[in-house]
Structure formats: structure tokens, C-alpha cells
Amino acid sequence: MNETFEELLHRIRACRICVEEPIAAPLPHEPRPVVVGSHRARVLIAGQAPGTRVHASGIPFDDRSGDRLRDWLQVDREAFYDPDHFAIAPMGFCFPGLDAKGGDLPPRRECAPAWRHTLLEHMPQIELVLVIGQYAQAWHLGTDRHARLTDTVHDWRRFFERDARPRVLPLPHPSWRNTGWLKKNLWFEADLLPVLREQIRRYVGPK
């Protein structure tokens, strides 16, 4: 790795691959990659892709999903955005646009193959990866994951208790569209969240 971490982050934030070398239709708006890299954080938040509000602000999880995620972690905004505590690297760094129903499109397919391995190589200190949603789980868990996200998250102990490092903990997306899922799957709050919060206290400290 001859490139410095700062140089890599600069290249990521200037990336235009989804406009200039798209796999399919180019991104329909100007790219605005959103990533928080860190040499010190021991927790990596691996999400999906920025939404409209994050695209406007350039701040990851600067929306209601972020409010719910911070509640899951039991951290405030100051701790959440401190790169000494968390690195934040979604599967797609740019807002991918909206589908016909007004929902977010999947992360751009160009992004992860172009950047993810190199970015993770620059953060060997990471000890816990929170893999949020099906796209992050597909990348970080591969064929070990289940076909359904619910089954993957329900099987979190198998992934979390493996000997491999960093540890990986699968989570659903904290979108408010998943409120029904959370009400239906009460084991998430009863069983998984206490372990998640214990790990965050270990690596980040109390709120």
C-alpha cells in the first residue's frame, strides 16, 4: 500500500466512476461520495448507500435512519461522528437515485469492486463490522448468509461468534420503513441489541 490513507480517501471522494464508466445507465445526478475512514476506530458501519438527505448534507446517516441506528448503538451524534470511534463505509458511496415507487435504488454496482478491498486494507485495526442490510451482508458474509435477510439477522450468533476477525454482526436497515419488521421480530431488541450495545460500550465507551 504505497498510497497513503488520506490520498485514498481523497480519490474516493473525487470518484466519478458511476458517471464516466458506468456498468449500466449512468448515475442521473452529480456524484457525492460519502465515507468516513479512520486509522483509529475499531467499529466499521457497513451500510447500503446514502439517501436523499445524506446526499444533500454529505453527512452519513444524517436522517431518521441515523437516529434509529444511534438509538440501537446508544451513542449520541458527537460520538457517532467521531472517527476515533466509528468508520462509516456504505456499499455504495453515492446516492443511487430513486425507483418508480420513490424508494432508494440499490447501491451502484461499480462502487464496491472499485474501492472496498483497498479501503478495508487501510483499516486493519477494525475489530467489529456492523453489516446493515442485504447488500452489505452479501459482500461481507458471502455465501454464508441466508437467502432472506430476516434469517441472516436471526442467525447473528453464528456470524458473530466465529473465530475470524474482525467480528461481523448483521443488522436490518434502521429505516423507519422497517418499523413493522421490528414489531414482528421482537427477538431483535430482546436478544441482539443487548449484545450490540455491549460491544459498542467495549469499543467506544458509555454514552
Side-chain angles (χ1 to χ4, degrees):
M1 292 187 294
N2 296 323
E3 183 178 39
T4 69
F5 196 26
E6 291 69 25
E7 289 170 341
L8 173 62
L9 292 175
H10 177 77
R11 287 203 301 125
I12 289 174
R13 290 168 179 146
C15 180
R16 296 179 55 81
I17 189 173
C18 52
V19 171
E20 297 174 353
E21 301 176 57
I23 290 177
L27 191 71
H29 52 263
E30 278 297 298
R32 188 178 191 181
V34 177
V35 59
V36 177
S38 174
H39 272 321
R40 299 171 298 278
R42 292 192 290 167
V43 180
L44 169 64
I45 299 174
Q48 179 167 293
T52 53
R53 183 167 175 176
V54 173
H55 178 68
S57 70
I59 301 172
F61 288 101
D62 185 28
D63 51 20
R64 295 182 70 199
S65 295
D67 293 339
R68 173 171 273 169
L69 178 58
R70 286 181 284 274
D71 179 67
W72 288 354
L73 304 178
Q74 289 192 334
V75 298
D76 57 22
R77 288 180 66 93
E78 181 179 2
F80 185 80
Y81 291 115
D82 186 340
D84 284 350
H85 295 327
F86 296 99
I88 305 174
M91 297 309 302
F93 295 134
C94 291
F95 169 54
L98 300 175
D99 61 24
K101 297 181 179 179
D104 291 352
L105 289 168
R108 295 290 306 195
R109 288 185 290 161
E110 304 89 351
C111 194
W115 297 113
R116 199 156 193 85
H117 285 302
T118 304
L119 179 62
L120 296 180
E121 286 175 358
H122 276 270
M123 297 191 293
Q125 84 289 349
I126 295 294
E127 297 188 46
L128 176 66
V129 182
L130 307 180
V131 283
I132 298 175
Q134 62 176 326
Y135 298 103
Q137 290 165 16
W139 180 275
H140 286 273
L141 300 178
T143 56
D144 285 345
R145 76 191 191 282
H146 295 275
R148 297 173 64 244
L149 178 142
T150 297
D151 296 332
T152 299
V153 178
H154 193 263
D155 199 20
W156 62 270
R157 290 182 182 85
R158 179 167 65 91
F159 304 112
F160 178 68
E161 294 174 357
R162 293 186 302 189
D163 290 335
R165 293 294 184 270
R167 284 186 163 184
V168 176
L169 192 58
L171 302 174
H173 197 282
S175 169
W176 289 87
R177 296 187 179 189
N178 281 340
T179 297
W181 186 94
L182 295 170
K183 291 180 178 179
K184 183 178 179 180
N185 296 280
L186 297 179
W187 51 264
F188 174 76
E189 183 173 355
D191 300 332
L192 194 157
L193 281 189
V195 174
L196 171 62
R197 289 165 176 169
E198 179 185 10
Q199 291 298 304
I200 298 305
R201 287 192 297 269
R202 174 183 179 187
Y203 295 124
V204 176
K207 182 174 179 179

